[in-house]
């Protein structure tokens, strides 16, 4: 199953690059060009708060064309579109429609030629998620003891 964030990025990148032929698994030997390859993103995880953890995604998306310059041109359209939107990519619903006022904030993208006919776009972002919630019992009352400054007398205060 494709995650909502990765599906949103795929849609944005593909449409911005004027719909090159997409590949999601291994690129076949005789693939069509222009093309775009979405490998599985790298992920790193960590704890963030008592209630949430984070997943850092790093995605190395490749553009293919007849020359390195043409592949780079496809990727450059995407980089410029991301920057024009202040690094915000619209989040999409399951039906592919854009969810109003919901975005994925990505880090500054990078683009480089990696070999003849291939350019690589790097997109990274942090996704925050809640831990599995369990019900907890809330305290109804609590008691605390204090010691007065005068003689070390103990006071029992109830709240």
């Amino acid at each position: 199953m494709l995650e909502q964030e990765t599906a949103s990025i795929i849609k944005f990148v593909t449409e911005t690059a004027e719909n090159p032929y997409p590949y999601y698994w291994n690129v076949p030997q005789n693939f069509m060009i222009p093309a775009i390859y979405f490998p599985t993103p790298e992920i790193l995880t960590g704890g963030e708060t008592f209630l949430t953890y984070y997943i850092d995604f790093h995605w190395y998306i490749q553009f293919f064309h007849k020359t390195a310059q043409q592949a780079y041109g496809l990727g450059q359209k995407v980089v410029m579109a991301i920057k024009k939107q202040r690094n915000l990519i619209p989040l999409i619903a399951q039906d592919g429609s854009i969810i109003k006022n919901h975005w994925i904030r990505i880090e500054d993208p990078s683009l480089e030629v990696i070999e003849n006919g291939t350019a690589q776009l790097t997109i990274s972002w942090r996704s925050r998620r809640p831990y599995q919630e369990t019900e907890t019992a809330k305290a109804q009352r609590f008691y605390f003891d204090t010691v007065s400054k005068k003689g070390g007398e103990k006071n029992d205060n109830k709240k």
Side-chain angles (χ1 to χ4, degrees):
M1 185 172 102
L2 208 54
E3 285 212 354
Q4 185 179 26
E5 291 174 353
T6 54
S8 299
I9 293 170
I10 287 172
K11 179 179 175 147
F12 180 86
V13 170
T14 303
E15 288 178 355
T16 303
E18 299 175 0
N19 298 306
Y21 195 83
Y23 291 96
Y24 304 99
W25 295 278
N26 295 332
V27 178
Q29 192 169 17
N30 298 319
F31 62 94
M32 310 258 309
I33 56 172
I36 188 169
Y37 173 50
F38 295 96
T40 304
E42 289 182 3
I43 62 170
L44 300 169
T45 64
E48 188 150 86
T49 68
F50 290 123
L51 301 175
T52 62
Y53 65 96
Y54 67 83
I55 301 174
D56 284 338
F57 288 90
H58 304 284
W59 211 352
Y60 307 100
I61 301 166
Q62 295 179 357
F63 295 90
F64 301 100
H65 215 301
K66 293 176 186 169
T67 67
Q69 291 76 20
Q70 289 172 308
Y72 187 89
L74 292 174
Q76 188 175 18
K77 289 177 186 177
V78 176
V79 169
M80 295 303 138
I82 290 169
K83 294 310 296 176
K84 284 180 183 177
Q85 292 193 172
R86 299 180 182 208
N87 291 19
L88 297 173
I89 293 179
L91 202 58
I92 62 169
Q94 270 188 316
D95 65 2
S97 63
I98 292 175
I99 301 172
K100 198 172 190 176
N101 298 322
H102 285 81
W103 307 86
I104 305 161
R105 178 171 297 280
I106 64 167
E107 296 174 13
D108 287 329
S110 65
L111 179 66
E112 64 180 315
V113 172
I114 57 173
E115 62 182 85
N116 191 28
T118 308
Q120 180 171 282
L121 171 67
T122 302
I123 294 179
S124 300
W125 74 99
R126 178 168 279 186
S127 181
R128 291 168 173 88
R129 318 262 172 108
Y131 288 116
Q132 183 176 356
E133 294 185 33
T134 56
E135 283 193 38
T136 56
K138 294 185 179 180
Q140 298 299 317
R141 291 183 212 164
F142 64 93
Y143 302 93
F144 64 96
D145 293 330
T146 61
V147 177
S148 72
K149 290 183 180 179
K150 288 186 179 177
E153 305 158 7
K154 186 176 177 183
N155 295 325
D156 286 330
N157 295 316
K158 294 182 182 180
K159 295 277 180 175

